[in-house]
């Protein structure tokens, strides 16, 4: 079948929208008609060439939502017409990690996914017979994608796919980080570093958990204003000469916050998030993704005096379990996803999505397919 998709042809070059071939789903696979897809920082990171494990040609995109078009042999949990959110972080339920309940890092398709293939070691995308690799196991900057059944979360059909697609990565990372990874306790104090998509998701998660104080740090006054609308009780505008850690310690009776979240991907900010966590039991959760090879320095005294540090890919969310729950909370009016979507683009405007992100214009651009 023919489809239009945005292909990374070379690092640092704009994506090229073109017609490709997509093969039918094989055993355990599902063909999804993509309806909407957010443009996320990880797409830009790979496009730029900064990711040493990146490759091309491939179809980028990993924040997708769509409708099941066709299922391969052996697929039991999905059928044509089901609405789904694509998961770069699958949940097979059967591997040693999934069974442990301790982590969301499913091992089932990990190796081939990292190579840009489906679990059988081959891609389904091609161009005149030349294989084109998948990206993050999703490749949703495309009209269609073929994905393993275990990497699709079935959601309530009444949810607008254009709104909930951002739960495929950014929004869930923040929300789940606060709700399920850190398990923020009621009446606690929280500090969130970074008020982009992930940080704002964390603010909402902290509020839903009943935090009494949510302090948000960001360099942008606009983003801090937005953080207030989403539940921040205090904001700190970061910049030269501003000691955000000292201000947070001051605001929390001289101890630091019960929970801190890092949502910038900058190791210097990660260090601040550790230091702003409360002596005795403060829990710092790292949600941002640092560049490969970068190192986080922590003074051991911060740990020996009781602070804890953890991280969570996708905020620790178990995709097939937690994402449908977040969609339900959106439908119940508990999570305002629409407010995060600042720009709506067509597939042909995908590169504009990168430009907007680099300019920090808005929170999220979403590509809407016809
Ligand atoms: Zn992402
Ligand atoms: Zn698994």
């Amino acid at each position: 079948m023919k489809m239009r998709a945005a292909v990374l042809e070379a690092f640092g070059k704009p994506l090229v929208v073109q017609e490709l071939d997509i093969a039918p789903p094989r055993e355990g696979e599902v063909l999804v008609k993509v309806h909407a897809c957010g443009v996320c920082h990880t797409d830009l990171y790979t496009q730029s060439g900064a990711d040493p494990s990146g490759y091309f040609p491939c179809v980028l995109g990993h924040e997708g939502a769509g409708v099941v078009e066709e299922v391969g042999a052996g697929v039991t949990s999905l059928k044509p017409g089901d609405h789904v959110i694509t998961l770069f972080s699958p949940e097979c339920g059967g591997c040693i990690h999934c069974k442990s309940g301790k982590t969301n890092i499913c091992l089932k398709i990990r190796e081939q996914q990292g190579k840009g293939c489906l679990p059988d070691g081959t891609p389904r995308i091609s161009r005149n017979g030349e294989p084109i690799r998948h990206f993050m196991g999703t490749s949703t900057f495309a009209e269609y994608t073929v994905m393993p059944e275990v990497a699709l979360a079935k959601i309530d059909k009444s949810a607008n796919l254009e709104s909930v697609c951002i739960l495929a990565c950014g929004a869930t990372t923040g929300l789940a980080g606060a709700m399920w990874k850190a398990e923020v306790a009621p009446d606690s104090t929280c500090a969130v570093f970074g008020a982009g998509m992930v940080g704002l998701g964390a603010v909402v998660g902290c509020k839903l958990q009943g935090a009494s104080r949510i302090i948000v740090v960001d360099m942008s006054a606009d983003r801090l204003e937005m953080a207030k609308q989403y539940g921040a009780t205090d904001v700190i505008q970061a910049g030269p000469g501003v000691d955000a850690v000292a201000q947070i310690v001051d605001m929390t009776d001289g101890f630091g916050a019960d929970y801190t979240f890092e949502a910038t991907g900058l190791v210097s900010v990660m260090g601040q998030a550790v230091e702003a966590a409360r002596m005795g039991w403060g829990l710092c959760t790292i949600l941002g993704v640092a560049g490969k090879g970068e190192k986080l320095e922590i003074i051991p005294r911060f740990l020996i005096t009781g602070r804890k540090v953890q991280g969570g890919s996708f905020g620790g969310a178990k995709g097939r379990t937690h994402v449908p729950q977040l969609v339900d909370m959106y439908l119940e009016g508990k999570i305002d996803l629409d407010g995060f979507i600042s720009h709506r683009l067509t597939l042909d405007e995908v590169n504009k999505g990168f430009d907007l992100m680099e300019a920090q214009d808005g929170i999220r651009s979403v590509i809407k397919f016809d």
Side-chain angles (χ1 to χ4, degrees), residues 90-99 105-108:
E91 183 186 358
C92 79
C95 74
I96 187 168
H97 278 191
C98 283
K99 278 186 178 162
I105 300 176
C106 174
L107 302 173
K108 175 98 174 173

Side-chain angles (χ1 to χ4, degrees), residues 6-280:
V7 180
L8 175 65
E9 303 274 17
F11 293 134
K13 293 281 188 302
L15 304 185
V16 183
V17 177
Q18 56 195 272
E19 196 172 80
L20 301 176
D21 294 296
I22 185 150
R26 295 185 185 171
E27 187 170 358
E29 298 172 0
V30 175
L31 174 70
V32 176
K33 185 176 197 307
V34 181
H35 281 241
C37 181
V39 182
C40 176
H41 195 267
T42 313
D43 299 307
L44 177 62
Y45 180 56
T46 296
Q47 182 265 349
S48 71
D51 180 0
S53 57
Y55 46 77
F56 60 82
C58 73
V59 175
L60 295 182
H62 64 285
E63 226 176 57
V67 177
V68 172
E69 186 94 354
E70 185 186 341
V71 299
V75 171
T76 56
S77 64
L78 292 168
K79 59 182 187 308
D82 283 345
H83 289 207
V84 289
I85 284 179
T86 63
L87 303 170
F88 65 88
S89 180
E91 183 186 358
C92 79
C95 74
I96 187 168
H97 278 191
C98 283
K99 278 186 178 162
S100 77
K102 295 175 184 169
T103 176
N104 68 333
I105 300 176
C106 174
L107 302 173
K108 175 98 174 173
I109 62 171
R110 199 170 172 76
E111 199 189 326
Q112 291 302 333
Q113 183 180 342
K115 293 177 183 166
C117 291
L118 281 154
D120 75 350
T122 62
R124 294 295 157 270
I125 314 169
S126 61
R127 173 172 59 194
N128 305 321
E130 169 208 7
I132 304 279
R133 286 201 269 177
H134 299 241
F135 171 69
M136 290 176 82
T138 49
S139 288
T140 45
F141 287 164
E143 290 172 324
Y144 291 90
T145 186
V146 172
M147 292 179 57
E149 177 184 18
V150 296
L152 291 166
K154 183 177 166 179
I155 59 162
D156 190 319
K157 276 186 190 175
S158 59
N160 179 8
L161 294 168
E162 203 182 319
S163 307
V164 298
C165 71
I166 60 174
L167 288 171
C169 181
T172 293
T173 300
L175 285 158
M179 294 166 67
W180 295 300
K181 189 72 194 176
E183 297 183 296
V184 166
D187 294 323
S188 55
T189 56
C190 299
V192 178
F193 290 80
M197 180 72 271
V198 173
L200 291 173
V203 169
V204 175
C206 292
K207 189 176 179 213
L208 286 167
Q209 293 291 104
S212 57
R213 200 150 186 202
I214 305 169
I215 305 162
V216 180
V217 186
D218 197 281
M219 292 177 76
S220 156
D222 290 345
R223 289 187 169 197
L224 291 174
E225 205 46 54
M226 202 162 165
K228 281 189 204 165
Q229 291 165 24
Y230 275 96
T233 57
D234 306 82
V235 296
I236 299 170
Q237 187 165 5
V242 175
D243 187 341
V245 174
Q247 288 193 40
I248 291 166
V249 169
D250 267 358
M251 287 175 182
T252 50
D253 300 327
F255 287 111
D258 298 318
Y259 302 90
T260 64
F261 297 91
E262 188 286 329
T264 69
L266 303 170
V267 287
S268 59
V269 178
M270 292 176 187
Q272 293 175 39
V274 174
E275 294 185 21
R278 195 192 198 284
M279 182 210 287

